[in-house]
Amino acid sequence: MKVLSLITEYNPFHNGHIYHIESSKQLIQPDVTIAIMSGNFTQRGELAVTNKFNRAQEAIKHVDLVVELPTLYAISYADDFAYGGLMAAKMLQTTDIVFGSELDDIEKLHSAYLKAKRITKEDLAPLFKKGYSYPRAMYDLTNEDAFQSPNNTLGMSYLKARDDLNFDVSMHTIKRTGNNYNDKTLSHTQFSSATSIRESLLNGELEHAIQFMPETLAKVIMEDKVVTNEHMFNTLKVIIERSSLKDLKNIYMMTEGLEHRLKKNIRLSNNYESFIDSIKTKRYTRTRLQRLLLYVLLNVTEEDFRNYEVDKLRVLAMNHTGQQYLSTIQDGRFITNLTKKDAPDFYETIKATHIYNTLTNGCVNDFNQPVMILKS
């Protein structure tokens, strides 16, 4: 039996994702297709543009199961994100994983990954002192172009996670299409980046956005109001102002005195964008700092991450095929309807959903939203 898993964010779900799903199905010819999807916060340190239930509802029209990527892995850097995704895929007895990349060559990615394995912390240290980001430092040390593109870097993290988990799964990649991930302007081609689509929705350009994403989801996002990181600025300001330097230093990835930088600059900033600009350096990229601010928001400490264990996964949506497949592997680890009994196993997820709802005036949470079942 072939089980295809796709590790995703769908922020928001758009035509490029549909292309990825259909191309992956064509390549693998699976019996079941699973999307392992981030929840209400994403790997780039952002509030999802709309909640995980809305995104899952659209995704299940194209896959058989939508399972939530465990929260702390979903908001961490590439290696952790990949580890969490592959751990979930292994629990789901996945046989094949397909991811998008700029390189579109799994052998070349594997070759670059093997080079990267030989790089030590001692090799990286002098470049970090010069203010190099991790991808730039790795490019300089390996001379591998793969490190110049984010999806290639993530792809290598998937290969690393496969090794770390001793996971016998076949890895495949297909070429990412459309404009660059960070482009804020909509593409002139068939597909456009999630960033550009979010920007279009934020500007109220519904007619432009629906050229690149499902109209039903676009309308839901516009009706609920587009969520951005500005939604968390005032709350962040209160947390940072009232926290001691010692409290901030305990936050996950609060390294090299960043707590001082946060304390100093939060008082001089009036919005999220100006705050990020004030703390950004060559060494600390925007994405790295956005993730750090999520850890502050969610109060994720070094100890929390070190002790993070995932024994169960939350199923957000399924169709008949997914339901049938789940019944063949069900061993108590896949939760479709969350109850208070399950709460200790999903503490970080439940907390993240409640905080997201507080910031966005949302009311759909992990307890009052049962698994969505798509009727054929």
Side-chain angles (χ1 to χ4, degrees), residues 90-316:
K90 188 174 184 179
M91 290 170 68
L92 290 158
Q93 299 182 21
T94 299
T95 61
D96 295 84
I97 289 174
V98 181
F99 58 88
S101 70
E102 292 85 0
L103 191 57
D104 189 27
D105 188 324
I106 196 70
E107 294 305 322
K108 287 184 178 179
L109 280 176
H110 191 258
S111 176
Y113 158 62
L114 292 177
K115 278 190 182 181
K117 281 181 71 174
R118 296 194 288 268
I119 302 301
T120 66
K121 289 181 179 179
E122 290 71 26
D123 296 325
L124 289 165
L127 295 181
F128 285 162
K129 284 182 180 179
K130 291 182 180 179
Y132 284 31
S133 64
Y134 176 79
R136 184 183 172 189
M138 289 301 292
Y139 171 70
D140 273 31
L141 292 168
T142 64
N143 199 33
E144 285 285 349
D145 288 338
F147 283 100
Q148 294 187 304
S149 301
N151 290 292
N152 289 339
T153 303
L154 183 56
M156 287 183 276
S157 292
Y158 291 141
L159 296 172
K160 180 180 184 299
R162 179 178 65 174
D163 287 353
D164 291 345
L165 288 161
N166 193 25
F167 183 11
D168 183 20
V169 64
S170 296
M171 306 287 280
H172 316 264
T173 185
I174 56 176
K175 190 169 182 61
R176 188 186 177 282
T177 59
N179 53 355
N180 291 329
Y181 186 91
N182 289 321
D183 285 350
K184 290 189 175 183
T185 305
L186 289 172
S187 173
H188 295 295
T189 63
Q190 183 180 1
F191 306 113
S192 199
S193 69
T195 302
S196 63
I197 294 170
R198 290 195 299 271
E199 194 73 14
S200 185
L201 290 167
L202 186 60
N203 293 333
E205 299 167 349
L206 178 63
E207 68 283 3
H208 294 151
I210 60 176
Q211 297 176 49
F212 301 99
M213 69 177 294
E215 184 173 354
T216 50
L217 181 59
K219 286 182 175 178
V220 166
I221 293 172
M222 295 287 278
E223 287 169 7
D224 289 348
K225 295 187 179 178
V226 181
V227 177
T228 74
N229 279 11
E230 287 296 343
H231 283 77
M232 66 173 164
F233 177 72
N234 287 335
T235 302
L236 266 178
K237 191 164 188 172
V238 171
I239 292 171
I240 295 170
E241 287 280 23
R242 64 102 172 127
S243 297
S244 68
L245 289 170
K246 182 180 178 181
D247 290 337
L248 290 174
K249 191 173 183 178
N250 287 331
I251 295 294
Y252 181 54
M253 299 302 287
M254 190 73 74
T255 57
E256 299 180 353
L258 276 170
E259 65 275 15
H260 295 276
R261 197 169 182 83
L262 265 58
K263 271 284 195 183
K264 174 185 174 183
N265 289 284
I266 194 68
R267 293 168 185 167
L268 305 174
S269 304
N270 295 316
N271 55 61
Y272 183 88
E273 289 300 317
S274 66
F275 183 45
I276 280 286
D277 287 341
S278 70
I279 60 176
K280 189 171 60 175
T281 67
K282 287 182 180 179
R283 170 72 188 278
Y284 294 110
T285 64
R286 179 187 182 90
T287 301
R288 160 79 166 81
L289 292 168
Q290 287 186 165
R291 280 197 292 267
L292 178 65
L293 294 181
L294 275 194
Y295 304 147
V296 173
L297 178 74
L298 300 175
N299 193 33
V300 179
T301 66
E302 290 280 351
E303 185 178 3
D304 290 332
F305 207 96
R306 188 167 55 249
N307 296 330
Y308 193 47
E309 294 182 3
V310 175
D311 298 315
K312 297 179 181 179
L313 298 174
R314 172 78 197 276
V315 180
L316 296 173

Side-chain angles (χ1 to χ4, degrees), residues 308-309 312 314 335 337-352 354 366-367:
Y308 193 47
E309 294 182 3
K312 297 179 181 179
R314 172 78 197 276
I335 306 302
N337 297 316
L338 207 63
T339 66
K340 288 185 178 180
K341 179 183 175 183
D342 305 306
D345 295 304
F346 292 92
Y347 172 77
E348 296 293 348
T349 297
I350 294 165
K351 177 177 70 171
H354 284 321
D366 291 290
F367 295 107

